[in-house]
Amino acid sequence: MTAREQLIQEIEQVSDSLVEEVLDFLLFIKGRQDQKNSISDGEKSQPSEQSILERMGGIPQHLLCVGNLSDRDVRRAVIASRIQQSHQQKS
């Protein structure tokens, strides 16, 4: 018996509400697969072409101007020093 035949046999034995849930799940999976296929074929949709920051409106300016936090290494150093200071205050 193939997986398709077994699925049909199982569907015939369950309640209509469970069949509706299975159908919703199947349609969800098909949609996700179609989306993956269209992206891999080079047909990117508009939202996925933008970065997360672009969709959010860019980098918040207040984060760029406070203490020269625009550099990742500087941010790491600031965070590390603050963690070290908080550990020293606790002891």
Side-chain angles (χ1 to χ4, degrees):
M1 177 180 293
T2 67
R4 182 182 302 270
E5 292 169 341
Q6 186 177 359
L7 180 60
I8 291 170
Q9 183 179 11
E10 291 294 327
I11 287 174
E12 289 174 347
Q13 297 175 9
V14 297
S15 67
D16 288 342
S17 62
L18 187 56
V19 170
E20 289 175 13
E21 286 187 52
V22 171
L23 177 61
D24 286 343
F25 183 65
L26 178 62
L27 293 174
F28 168 75
I29 293 171
K30 280 180 60 179
R32 190 172 62 182
Q33 187 177 24
D34 290 344
Q35 185 179 20
K36 285 180 184 179
N37 290 340
S38 68
I39 289 174
S40 66
D41 291 341
E43 300 173 3
K44 293 185 177 182
S45 60
Q46 181 64 23
S48 64
E49 289 177 354
Q50 295 179 329
S51 72
I52 292 172
L53 285 175
E54 289 171 336
R55 284 183 265 159
M56 292 175 59
I59 299 173
Q61 292 301 310
H62 70 279
L63 293 179
L64 294 175
C65 64
V66 176
N68 194 19
L69 295 180
S70 61
D71 182 27
R72 181 179 63 190
D73 295 329
V74 174
R75 285 195 309 263
R76 286 182 177 170
V78 169
I79 292 169
S81 68
R82 288 181 183 171
I83 291 172
Q84 188 176 27
Q85 288 173 357
S86 69
H87 286 321
Q88 288 174 353
Q89 290 174 352
K90 289 180 182 178
S91 35

